[in-house]
Amino acid sequence: MTEPSALDNLLTESRSFPPSEEFAAQANATAALQQEADADREAFWAKQAERLSWATKWDQVLDWSGAPFAKWFVGGKLNVAYNCVDRHVESGHGDQVAIHWVGEPGDTRTITYADLKREVSKTANALLSLGLEAGDRVAIYMPMVPEAIFSMLACARLGLVHSVVFGGFSAEALRSRIEDAAAKLVITTDGQYRRGNPVSLKAAVDEAVEKTPTIGNVLVVRRTGGQVDWVDGRDLWWHDVVDAQSENHTPEAFDAEHPLFILYTSGTTGRPKGILHTSGGYLTQASYTHYNVFDLKPDTDVYWCTADIGWVTGHSYIVYGPLSNRATQIVYEGTPNTPHEGRHWEVIQQYKVSIYYTAPTLIRTFMKWGEDIPARYDLSSLRVLGSVGEPINPEAWIWYREHIGAGKTPVVDTWWQTETGAIMVAPLPGVTVAKPGSAMGPLPGIGAKVVDDTGKEVGKGGGGYLVLDKPWPSMLRGVWGDEQRYRETYWARFADQGYYFAGDGAKYDEDGAIWLLGRVDDVMLVSGHNISTTEVESALVSHNRVAEAAVVGATDPTTGQGIVAFVILRGIKEDEDGTALVKELREHVAKEIGPIAKPRQVMVVAELPKTRSGKIMRRLLRDVAENRQIGDVTTLADSTVMDLISSGLNSGK
Ligand code: ATP
Ligand code: MG
């Protein structure tokens, strides 16, 4: 068998949505942005960097001589926290709300930029009092409380490198990340709310820290008031250490390439990688993309990104992008169905949210809950909707625009990765004629293309691999402590061309728009055809009875691989003949994209295995489909899901 050289291009989509004239007329980004980038890429990025305040200007925009290790804005110095906080206070916006924080139990806090400056300064003084020095690593293991953001910014202010570990991860996941980065401090809370109930978090830290000798202190925010064990000398209450500090702290400027954070990828395809990001280029691109892709108007918009700070979207589009742009934003602590399934719409109505950024998995969940729920709320303040994390199926895109965006808001599907640091491929809401399900094209200043196995760009209508053919400011600066893995994972595949290999399959449609087709690792090879998981899933989701679908290729004696689909249904009816529906779904896929993609099996399940960031873990479903022992489940949101699926299947349900 020869190695797959391209992906079959199966699903077609003809709907398209130009921006309204009204939107286009007021948009931050116009077509001129692309022209500027095309005229002189480095000058373009230098201009974007001017969005920030630099203590010392750079003398070189890009140094790529040490490829694949980039240096951006060489010689420049800045303080990232100063750019996200102090400068807005200095420019007279201290009274502007930075964060409308909404706790899960319904408690709220309003934090202005002046408040943020005080809190971040106190936190920075506290970290200094603990003896931390620039370059030291700090693990942040917290729910979505304001102190988590204060902590990240205090680290940035001091040149400490934060490593945020999702608060839903286990003690073992925390331990391995602390160990990998040799962190000196953990910042955590006593506990966190999970669907209305307080659960302990500190206990997991205690367990992790027992085996991580680099940790000197554990700084604990009181959130739930639950019982905690205490190790004197090591454990410190936030209210004892931080509250007493001075509100004044003068930020020091750091080199543009000073490390800002390490963040571990979500582990969808294997062992998580500790991705390293630095300061000047990262902040430039986070700020640039947030301003242009979401069309942020700092004086009037209320922005809400529903991600957790435990993954990269929370870093770039809750903390660094929005705050560098002086946004007013919502930070919500809880889950979307606590205390009820209209929680997000209630928050949007109450705070008049105008920009909302979430993940396809949640959009499909909202679809499953029913459109009558959002219909009960006034969502007329919304003017831009965003999506990130997985390919958004055309049907979910349409539903989102129709039922959340009143049939008129632009929807921006944003493709990027932990590694890219910021959005790379996305429509510009006032410029691009968007197609439902497509991330459209690279942003101005970004080079992305779809190539075949030999690195040659495929033509219109062709499928292959997504690559980034030019270095970009917020690109990763390596995998923490593992140069080899960095080179092998991203740069070995297309070494001759010097392309960054993203690991995602993609295609061009007839107009040259880019469609993401899922992980290369997940591509199915059926009777000589390379079929993408995304296209078959989208076909399934376009059936009105399917809420969510995940497909995998399982070894098949005749076709090489056979397509096995796992589906969650909408509205299960009593006494329904499942066999008839399964048959209908198989036919539906055949009709939508052709007989070659007809699933060999369709299994109805109650849940799908997802990572904490909401991505489907197909590798685990492949284990089920091939009757294998289930692989590594440590980054799974709910580890009981796999038992549920396996037992449901074994009992023939
Ligand atoms: P690991 O690399 O450890 O397997 P991961 O890739 O899931 O984890 P992330 O960096 O959080 O970790 O996810 C990036 C990936 O998410 C992308 O490579 C892509 O597969 C997917 N993705 C993100 N946004 C989009 C999008 N808008 N359209 C399609 N896919 C997307
Ligand atoms: Mg990845």
Side-chain angles (χ1 to χ4, degrees), residues 391-423:
I392 179 167
N393 323 100
E395 287 320 310
W397 193 105
I398 295 280
W399 187 94
Y400 194 26
R401 180 174 155 111
E402 201 52 45
H403 296 287
I404 309 305
K408 59 177 205 277
T409 55
V411 174
V412 287
D413 174 18
T414 63
W415 178 89
W416 59 296
Q417 311 176 299
T418 308
E419 294 87 338
T420 68
I423 300 171

Coordinates of all heavy atoms in Angstrom, one line a residue, residues 391-423:
P391 N -13.3 21.2 13.5 CA -14.0 21.7 12.3 C -15.5 21.8 12.7 O -16.0 21.0 13.5 CB -13.9 20.5 11.3 CG -12.7 19.7 11.8 CD -12.7 19.8 13.3
I392 N -16.1 22.9 12.3 CA -17.5 23.1 12.6 C -18.3 22.6 11.4 O -18.1 22.9 10.3 CB -17.9 24.6 12.9 CG1 -19.4 24.7 13.2 CG2 -17.4 25.6 11.9 CD1 -19.7 26.1 13.9
N393 N -19.2 21.7 11.7 CA -20.0 21.1 10.6 C -20.9 22.1 10.0 O -21.4 23.0 10.8 CB -20.9 19.9 11.1 CG -20.2 19.1 12.2 OD1 -20.4 19.3 13.4 ND2 -19.2 18.3 11.8
P394 N -21.1 22.1 8.7 CA -22.0 23.1 8.1 C -23.3 23.3 8.8 O -23.8 24.4 9.0 CB -22.1 22.6 6.7 CG -20.9 21.9 6.4 CD -20.5 21.3 7.7
E395 N -23.9 22.2 9.2 CA -25.2 22.3 9.9 C -25.2 23.0 11.2 O -26.1 23.8 11.5 CB -25.9 20.9 10.1 CG -26.4 20.3 8.8 CD -27.1 21.2 7.8 OE1 -28.0 22.0 8.2 OE2 -26.7 21.2 6.7
A396 N -24.1 22.8 11.9 CA -23.9 23.5 13.2 C -23.7 25.0 13.0 O -24.2 25.8 13.7 CB -22.8 22.9 14.0
W397 N -22.9 25.3 11.9 CA -22.6 26.7 11.6 C -23.9 27.4 11.3 O -24.2 28.5 11.8 CB -21.7 26.7 10.3 CG -21.0 27.9 10.0 CD1 -19.7 28.2 10.1 CD2 -21.5 29.1 9.2 NE1 -19.4 29.5 9.6 CE2 -20.5 30.0 9.0 CE3 -22.8 29.4 8.7 CZ2 -20.7 31.2 8.4 CZ3 -23.0 30.6 8.1 CH2 -21.9 31.5 7.9
I398 N -24.7 26.8 10.4 CA -26.0 27.4 10.0 C -26.9 27.6 11.3 O -27.5 28.6 11.5 CB -26.7 26.5 9.0 CG1 -25.9 26.4 7.7 CG2 -28.2 26.9 8.7 CD1 -26.1 27.6 6.8
W399 N -26.9 26.6 12.1 CA -27.8 26.7 13.3 C -27.3 27.8 14.2 O -28.1 28.6 14.7 CB -27.7 25.3 14.1 CG -28.7 25.2 15.2 CD1 -29.9 24.7 15.2 CD2 -28.5 25.7 16.6 NE1 -30.5 24.8 16.5 CE2 -29.6 25.4 17.3 CE3 -27.4 26.4 17.2 CZ2 -29.8 25.8 18.6 CZ3 -27.6 26.7 18.6 CH2 -28.7 26.4 19.3
Y400 N -26.0 27.9 14.3 CA -25.4 29.0 15.2 C -25.8 30.4 14.7 O -26.3 31.2 15.4 CB -23.9 28.8 15.1 CG -23.0 29.4 16.1 CD1 -23.4 29.8 17.4 CD2 -21.6 29.6 15.7 CE1 -22.5 30.4 18.2 CE2 -20.7 30.2 16.6 CZ -21.2 30.6 17.9 OH -20.3 31.2 18.7
R401 N -25.6 30.6 13.4 CA -26.0 31.9 12.8 C -27.5 32.1 12.9 O -27.9 33.2 13.2 CB -25.5 31.9 11.3 CG -25.8 33.2 10.7 CD -25.3 33.3 9.3 NE -26.0 34.2 8.4 CZ -25.5 35.3 8.0 NH1 -24.3 35.7 8.3 NH2 -26.3 36.1 7.2
E402 N -28.3 31.1 12.7 CA -29.7 31.2 12.6 C -30.3 31.5 14.0 O -31.0 32.4 14.2 CB -30.3 29.9 12.0 CG -31.6 30.0 11.5 CD -31.8 31.1 10.4 OE1 -30.9 31.3 9.6 OE2 -32.8 31.8 10.5
H403 N -29.9 30.6 14.9 CA -30.6 30.6 16.2 C -29.9 31.5 17.3 O -30.6 31.9 18.3 CB -30.9 29.2 16.7 CG -31.8 28.5 15.8 ND1 -33.1 28.7 15.8 CD2 -31.5 27.5 14.9 CE1 -33.7 27.9 14.8 NE2 -32.7 27.2 14.3
I404 N -28.7 31.7 17.2 CA -28.0 32.6 18.1 C -27.7 33.9 17.5 O -27.8 34.9 18.1 CB -26.6 31.9 18.6 CG1 -26.9 30.5 19.0 CG2 -26.0 32.7 19.7 CD1 -27.9 30.3 20.1
G405 N -27.4 33.9 16.2 CA -27.0 35.2 15.5 C -28.2 35.8 14.8 O -27.9 36.7 13.9
A406 N -29.4 35.4 15.1 CA -30.6 36.0 14.4 C -30.5 36.0 12.9 O -31.1 36.8 12.2 CB -30.8 37.4 14.9
G407 N -29.8 35.0 12.4 CA -29.7 34.9 10.9 C -28.9 36.0 10.3 O -28.9 36.2 9.0
K408 N -28.2 36.8 11.0 CA -27.5 37.9 10.4 C -26.0 38.2 10.9 O -25.3 38.8 10.2 CB -28.3 39.2 10.5 CG -28.6 39.7 11.9 CD -29.3 41.0 11.9 CE -29.2 41.8 13.2 NZ -30.0 41.5 14.2
T409 N -25.6 37.6 12.0 CA -24.3 37.9 12.5 C -23.2 37.1 11.6 O -23.5 36.0 11.3 CB -24.0 37.5 13.9 OG1 -24.4 36.1 14.0 CG2 -24.9 38.3 14.9
P410 N -22.1 37.7 11.4 CA -21.0 36.9 10.8 C -20.6 35.8 11.7 O -20.7 36.0 13.0 CB -19.9 37.9 10.6 CG -20.4 39.3 10.9 CD -21.7 39.1 11.6
V411 N -20.2 34.6 11.2 CA -19.7 33.6 12.0 C -18.3 33.4 11.6 O -18.0 33.2 10.4 CB -20.5 32.2 11.8 CG1 -19.8 31.1 12.6 CG2 -21.9 32.4 12.3
V412 N -17.3 33.5 12.5 CA -15.9 33.3 12.1 C -15.4 32.0 12.7 O -15.4 31.7 13.9 CB -15.0 34.5 12.6 CG1 -15.3 35.7 11.7 CG2 -15.2 34.8 14.1
D413 N -15.1 31.1 11.8 CA -14.5 29.8 12.2 C -13.0 30.0 12.2 O -12.4 30.3 11.1 CB -14.9 28.7 11.1 CG -14.3 27.4 11.4 OD1 -13.8 27.2 12.5 OD2 -14.3 26.5 10.5
T414 N -12.4 29.8 13.3 CA -11.0 30.1 13.5 C -10.1 28.9 13.7 O -10.3 28.2 14.6 CB -10.8 31.0 14.7 OG1 -11.2 30.3 15.9 CG2 -11.7 32.3 14.6
W415 N -9.3 28.6 12.7 CA -8.4 27.5 12.8 C -7.0 27.9 13.4 O -6.4 28.9 12.9 CB -8.1 26.8 11.5 CG -7.1 25.6 11.7 CD1 -7.4 24.4 12.0 CD2 -5.7 25.7 11.6 NE1 -6.3 23.6 12.2 CE2 -5.2 24.4 11.9 CE3 -4.8 26.7 11.4 CZ2 -3.8 24.1 12.0 CZ3 -3.4 26.4 11.4 CH2 -3.0 25.1 11.7
W416 N -6.6 27.2 14.4 CA -5.3 27.5 15.0 C -5.0 26.4 16.0 O -5.8 25.4 16.2 CB -5.1 28.9 15.6 CG -6.1 29.2 16.7 CD1 -7.5 29.3 16.6 CD2 -5.8 29.5 18.1 NE1 -8.0 29.7 17.8 CE2 -7.0 29.8 18.7 CE3 -4.6 29.6 18.8 CZ2 -7.0 30.2 20.1 CZ3 -4.6 30.0 20.1 CH2 -5.8 30.2 20.8
Q417 N -3.8 26.4 16.6 CA -3.4 25.3 17.6 C -2.7 26.0 18.7 O -2.2 27.1 18.7 CB -2.4 24.4 16.9 CG -2.8 23.9 15.5 CD -1.7 23.1 14.9 OE1 -0.6 23.6 14.7 NE2 -2.0 21.8 14.6
T418 N -2.5 25.2 19.8 CA -1.6 25.6 20.9 C -0.3 26.1 20.3 O 0.2 27.1 20.7 CB -1.4 24.4 21.8 OG1 -2.6 23.8 22.2 CG2 -0.7 24.9 23.1
E419 N 0.2 25.4 19.3 CA 1.5 25.6 18.8 C 1.5 27.0 18.0 O 2.6 27.6 18.0 CB 1.9 24.5 17.8 CG 2.1 23.2 18.4 CD 0.9 22.3 18.5 OE1 -0.2 22.9 18.5 OE2 1.0 21.1 18.6
T420 N 0.4 27.3 17.4 CA 0.4 28.6 16.6 C 0.2 29.8 17.5 O 0.5 30.9 17.0 CB -0.6 28.6 15.5 OG1 -1.9 28.6 16.0 CG2 -0.5 27.3 14.6
G421 N -0.3 29.6 18.7 CA -0.4 30.7 19.6 C -1.6 31.6 19.4 O -2.1 32.2 20.3
A422 N -1.9 31.8 18.1 CA -3.0 32.7 17.8 C -3.7 32.2 16.5 O -3.2 31.3 15.9 CB -2.5 34.1 17.6
I423 N -4.8 32.8 16.2 CA -5.6 32.4 15.0 C -4.7 32.6 13.7 O -4.0 33.6 13.6 CB -6.9 33.3 14.9 CG1 -7.7 33.1 16.1 CG2 -7.6 32.9 13.6 CD1 -8.9 34.0 16.2

